[in-house]
Amino acid sequence: MNLFTAPEVIKNYAAAGKKKTELSVFRMLVLGILAGMFIALGAAVTNTAAHTIADVSTARIICGLLFPAGLSLVILMGGELFTGNCLISISVLEKETTTGMMLKNWLFVYIGNFIGSIIVAAGCAYFGQMNYSGGGLAVFTMKLAATKASLPMGNAIVLGFFCNVLVCFAVLCSLEAKDVTGRIVGTFLPIASFVICGFEHSVANMYYIPAGIFASHVPAYAAKAAEAGLDLSMLTWGNFLIKNLIPVTIGNILGGVFVGASMWLGHVYRQKK
């Protein structure tokens, strides 16, 4: 068979998760920065492709088809992505590593993801990438960012939960394959599904909202937003952190740990009895 079974994947990930926690802080940061850039670039692609599409369904489908490139790069290039690393909970349950080591990995990978995403967001906002459609891309970016920064906390947590359920299943599906094509295909459908549904991904939002904040500080883009009647009052770093990033991150953790625990209980724990 040209694939691993689900129980084999869980056992394989338990060992892989242990190796992730044993990376040096330097490597966690570097590989986290790369993963953050990959996801941010995928987010920039979706904004660029969808910013002139008025029909919501069509826009979501286009975004769903394009965004999975980011996670495919993370998986194929060995990046460290916080949301996927919530599966290290499998390694903890298998006693391959400790909760403390898992939390250390999460912290430094999260910081790396944030740095990588911010690099892309600033580059796109300040160096002309958002000039498409006479600045229309910048207006779209600011509008999307303001919408995300206005989410009620409960919505952000629940949408973050469902997002990372799909992201973590995408990671596990990709690990079932033994070839590059299979790994990409395994990644594609779950990621496309979360994007089409509009679920909330903390690392993607490290691009989406800062990109809007940075764009609002560009005078030409701010003028375009004013012409469009766009309210930018929600585009603050405080709203980004408190109303979106923190609750979405909590939801992502809950979703990732749910997947890790349920797959471990269903495929590994019972086999030990």
Side-chain angles (χ1 to χ4, degrees), residues 6-7 10 86-87 89-90 93 161 164-165 168-169 172 254-270:
I10 301 307
C86 289
L87 286 172
S89 54
I90 294 170
L93 290 169
F161 174 89
N164 214 28
V165 166
C168 287
F169 276 125
L172 294 176
L254 293 174
V257 172
F258 168 79
V259 171
S262 61
M263 292 296 285
W264 179 80
L265 286 169
H267 291 298
V268 178
Y269 175 74
R270 289 176 183 173

Side-chain angles (χ1 to χ4, degrees), residues 65-255:
L65 291 173
L66 296 174
F67 187 84
L71 187 61
S72 294
L73 285 170
V74 171
I75 290 172
L76 295 179
M77 296 295 102
E80 289 290 310
L81 183 65
F82 166 75
T83 46
N85 284 9
C86 289
L87 286 172
I88 296 175
S89 54
I90 294 170
S91 307
V92 174
L93 290 169
E94 275 290 276
K95 302 189 186 305
E96 293 281 355
T97 190
T98 65
T99 301
M101 291 290 283
M102 176 181 69
L103 294 176
K104 176 184 174 183
N105 176 276
W106 286 1
L107 173 63
F108 289 107
V109 167
Y110 193 86
I111 292 170
N113 291 168
F114 188 87
I115 293 170
S117 298
I118 289 291
I119 289 171
V120 177
C124 289
Y126 292 131
F127 293 91
Q129 193 274 332
M130 296 183 189
N131 288 342
Y132 280 104
S133 305
L137 175 54
V139 174
F140 178 89
T141 301
M142 289 183 279
K143 182 178 180 180
L144 177 61
T147 300
K148 286 180 173 289
S150 305
L151 277 177
M153 180 173 289
N155 292 23
I157 291 173
V158 173
L159 295 178
F161 174 89
F162 287 131
C163 171
N164 214 28
V165 166
L166 286 168
V167 170
C168 287
F169 276 125
V171 171
L172 294 176
C173 285
S174 76
L175 295 177
E176 287 194 350
K178 297 182 180 180
D179 54 47
V180 171
T181 301
R183 298 194 75 183
I184 293 174
V185 171
T187 301
F188 182 81
L189 288 176
I191 299 301
S193 297
F194 105 66
V195 174
I196 291 170
C197 289
F199 296 146
E200 294 289 314
H201 189 278
S202 57
V203 180
N205 287 354
M206 292 173 187
Y207 170 83
Y208 284 125
I209 301 178
I213 294 173
F214 290 140
S216 72
H217 295 157
V218 177
Y221 296 157
K224 287 284 184 180
E227 290 175 13
L230 187 60
D231 181 8
L232 301 180
S233 62
M234 294 303 296
L235 284 184
T236 67
W237 292 104
N239 284 336
F240 165 49
L241 294 173
I242 295 170
K243 295 183 73 67
N244 187 280
L245 191 61
I246 292 174
V248 168
T249 299
I250 292 170
N252 287 169
I253 291 172
L254 293 174

